[in-house]
Amino acid sequence: MMPKNVLGIIYSNSYDSSLGALTARRTMGSVPFGGRYRLIDFALSNLVNCGVTKVGVIANSNFHSLMDHVGSGRPWDLSRKVDGLYMLPPFTPGATESGDRIDTLNRIMEFIATSKQEYVLLMDSNVVCNMDLSKLFSFHSGKNADITIAYANGKAPKLEKTMALTLAEDGKVTNVGIDVKTESDINYSTNIILIRKALLERLIGDAESYAYTSFEKDLIQKNISHLNIYGYKVDEWSKTIDSMETYFDANMALLEKACRKNLFRADAPVYTKVRNDMPVIYGITSKCENSLIADGCQIEGTVKNSIIFRGVRVAKGAVVENSILMQDAFVGEDARLNCVIMDKNTVITPKKTLSGDKSYPLFVGKEIVI
Amino acid sequence: MAKKNECIAMLLAGGQGSRLGVLTKNIAKPAVPYGGKYRIIDFPLSNCVNSGIYTVGVLTQYQPLELNDYIGNGGPWDLDRANGGVHILSPYQQIEGTEWYKGTANAIYQNIQFIDRYNPEYVAVLSGDHIYKMDYAKMLQFHKQKDAACTIAMLEVPWEEASRFGLMFVDDDGRITAFEEKPKNPKSNKASMGVYMFTWEKLRKYLIDDEADPDSSNDFGKNVIPAMHEAGERLFAYGFDGYWKDVGTIDSLWEANLDLLNPKANIDLSDNSWKIYGRGAVTAPQYVSDKAVIENSLAAEGCEIEGKVDYSVLFSNVTVEEGAFVDYSIVMPGAVIKKGAVVQYAMVAENAVIEEGAVVGENPEKCENLENWGVSVVGAGVTVGKNAKVKAQSMISEDVKEGETV
């Protein structure tokens, strides 16, 4: 299967509500991550790195920051005459949409139908992974599968309609559980799903005729015996974001070398919007330990075990520990932060002390001054 | 004919920069890395777009491959445009034969056709080897107000350095009355910055005249400007008081990098109203480990820092391993400083490897013979072997063996 023959479809609003305040004014796809990225960068980069040339980004609500970030798709080389990036916002303003996969796919069926690609790859934007999708494509062809679902092994994410796959030895899906209640490791779907376009059109058509409402239950679970559905194990490091806690952990995981080596590779770069900040300036009084720091920062205080986004300033005497500071946040002199997530453009005035816990990081919302 | 442009810029980027030695072995001077994530040419290019000049011809000649690649379609500077944009202008074959650019004026002369296509009123002639932030629009406004044929940007330099520059004498109105080229005993400290604004109709005529003169060395400073002056054209000096540095030598390039760490040096790259754009590496944020000590330094994305870094500039994807020490140095993209190695008062070019325990450069305070002291330079891709020593002022273009002193 040629990657050019695959149409990428990314849901930018996947499970927005699981991140609460962080997605109050943005989509899951535009949630900042890892010092300089937005979550959607991973899905977009994975697609273009394997050679996919046409990508539709579905946006249902709150998508201004997403549009601003993705733009014409230039950073991912998706600003093209033939194929390239397509934003797919709602058709009619004010139309109520459940955000369900079937509804959403139904809405963009014309876009899918008129694409010349024969296959469709559906992706969510809450999965952090640098994944070689070409392996998934050849797995799909090799198995002669109708549908291939990429899965990871571990504790199931606490997200609605999470699919747990039971697999035969050859990878064929023999059973699908939905919202399985268990604390042990399972094979859970990352919602990266490859399917032939004609089949997807038929399934969505059926769903409309029979008023199906659940993609997972009505289109996947019910079809296990009718269709060749396979599970493909994601080999690479991956993290599915399902709460503020996993968001915090996934960021902090980047402080481990093994994780960075897996996620940020020279042969498969993660692309993002360019900001043209200057390099990081470390002052005479700066102290920095075990931290990830992006361009444009000015560090004069102490930073430990933290993720610092572009343009952050940490003033003299300030101490930042176990925290995530997003774009252009400012920490005033002698302020102290521990286990805090500061959203964009937030300000901590001098001498303030803020503290959360690793299991419950304190969140400071966008543009708030404390 | 293309849409009319009021002002276009011609950027002289063909210089070899021979005084930069191994740093310009395979690349033209304007492509030399500067300031942690830039190249020298980012400054004039960014100045152009920030000044509203969106048609720029870049004249290349020496080792243009990497420079052409870097500029590409001009996207990083917003110079990929339907009208204008950036154009690489290399010497080309003509019916009379092929000719290299003989001098700065000849380079523009050979591209008269290019300029005429845009039919501009004014042409800015810039050079690709200076670090400065300047609003050419203000200079153009001055040029128009004075109804000048040529306006030259002027900087007042310290008297003790004046003899290194082309100097100007200026009357109260700003009109240039005389020139003095690198005099031993300077009587003026008003130096030319190598930034010119011309009225194209005038310049066009003088370029053709200059080309017809077989004795001319076809240089702006030596021939064209003096000729205009003698003919009584209105030449004006436009005063500039910001940061400006010619980075034509190893020492000045090293200093210009370290100036970014000096709050008194008056060069601020964090100013969002005058951004310097460049084609950046696509790489993760930098990682600073719990063993690292980094102070008073500049470091770009993709670095892995586990050692000690003081008063230095690290470009993207530089690795400083545990126990290594980088002091008063410039380390260019992709270079690796291994465990226990010391890099001091040095410039390490792209992808060079300093093996464990090696020492590059000398601290002038600990140098026995200060007369022989100077910044050490390790060329691109060079490996300095384990426990090897690179002395002050050395310039290394080939691998240094284990334990060797050079």
Side-chain angles (χ1 to χ4, degrees), chain B residues 203-270:
Chain B
L203 175 63
R204 198 176 188 283
K205 173 182 168 295
Y206 283 95
L207 284 177
I208 293 169
D209 290 352
D210 178 65
E211 189 60 21
D213 176 4
D215 298 329
S216 170
S217 53
N218 309 111
D219 185 89
F220 273 104
K222 281 189 206 134
N223 311 102
V224 176
I225 306 255
M228 290 177 87
H229 183 58
E230 275 166 37
E233 295 288 355
R234 293 171 64 81
L235 307 186
F236 280 80
Y238 172 75
F240 176 79
D241 59 1
Y243 181 90
W244 177 88
K245 192 134 188 161
D246 182 338
V247 285
T249 64
I250 293 290
D251 285 352
S252 64
L253 180 63
W254 180 72
E255 276 168 29
N257 272 285
L258 296 183
D259 277 347
L260 292 169
L261 303 172
N262 180 357
K264 287 178 197 152
N266 192 22
I267 174 136
D268 175 15
L269 301 183
S270 67

Side-chain angles (χ1 to χ4, degrees), chain B residues 134-143 151 153 195 197 238:
Chain B
M134 179 176 181
D135 191 345
Y136 304 136
K138 282 187 187 155
M139 183 171 173
L140 176 60
Q141 203 182 3
F142 175 88
H143 180 85
T151 300
V195 174
M197 185 67 71
Y238 172 75

Side-chain angles (χ1 to χ4, degrees), chain B residues 155-169 180-192 244:
Chain B
L155 184 79
E156 290 192 18
V157 296
W159 281 97
E160 59 272 23
E161 287 175 27
S163 60
R164 285 172 34 214
F165 294 94
L167 304 173
M168 298 179 276
F169 294 88
E180 209 176 19
E181 188 68 18
K182 297 180 186 171
K184 274 208 178 109
N185 300 305
K187 291 183 209 68
S188 164
N189 68 338
K190 294 179 166 58
S192 161
W244 177 88

Side-chain angles (χ1 to χ4, degrees), chain B residues 78-131:
Chain B
D78 261 355
L79 285 172
D80 51 336
R81 302 215 165 225
N83 285 311
V86 69
H87 299 259
I88 303 275
L89 304 170
S90 296
Y92 55 91
Q93 211 168 22
Q94 301 175 39
I95 203 141
E96 307 85 57
T98 312
E99 222 175 7
W100 291 108
Y101 294 149
K102 290 178 287 182
T104 50
N106 176 256
I108 307 290
Y109 170 82
Q110 289 200 35
N111 288 288
I112 285 181
Q113 271 184 32
F114 168 81
I115 299 174
D116 279 346
R117 274 205 326 195
Y118 290 96
N119 190 22
E121 304 244 352
Y122 307 99
V123 173
V125 175
L126 313 168
S127 76
D129 41 13
H130 301 147
I131 303 294

Side-chain angles (χ1 to χ4, degrees), chain A residues 34-37 74 254-257 260-261 264-265 269-272 274-296 298 305 308 310 328, chain B residues 35-38 73 75-76 80 260-261 268-270 272 275-301 304-306 314:
Chain A
R36 69 193 291 265
Y37 304 98
R74 164 70 66 77
L254 301 180
L255 298 178
E256 289 153 33
K257 198 168 199 165
R260 282 201 307 281
K261 289 275 172 279
F264 305 122
R265 299 202 306 265
V270 183
Y271 298 96
T272 190
V274 177
R275 243 183 70 150
N276 288 102
D277 286 298
M278 72 173 300
V280 184
I281 310 174
Y282 291 95
I284 306 172
T285 49
S286 78
K287 228 185 192 165
C288 204
E289 279 180 27
N290 190 35
S291 295
L292 205 64
I293 299 177
D295 275 359
Q298 297 184 24
N305 312 324
I308 311 292
R310 296 189 276 200
D328 303 304
Chain B
K37 66 185 296 189
Y38 310 97
N73 69 349
D80 51 336
L260 292 169
L261 303 172
D268 175 15
L269 301 183
S270 67
N272 280 334
K275 268 199 180 186
I276 302 302
Y277 301 93
R279 194 181 288 278
V282 177
T283 175
Q286 60 185 272
Y287 175 72
V288 181
S289 87
D290 48 1
K291 313 255 179 7
V293 180
I294 178 162
E295 280 178 350
N296 205 11
S297 291
L298 218 58
E301 285 178 331
E304 293 266 333
I305 303 164
E306 297 185 66
L314 306 186

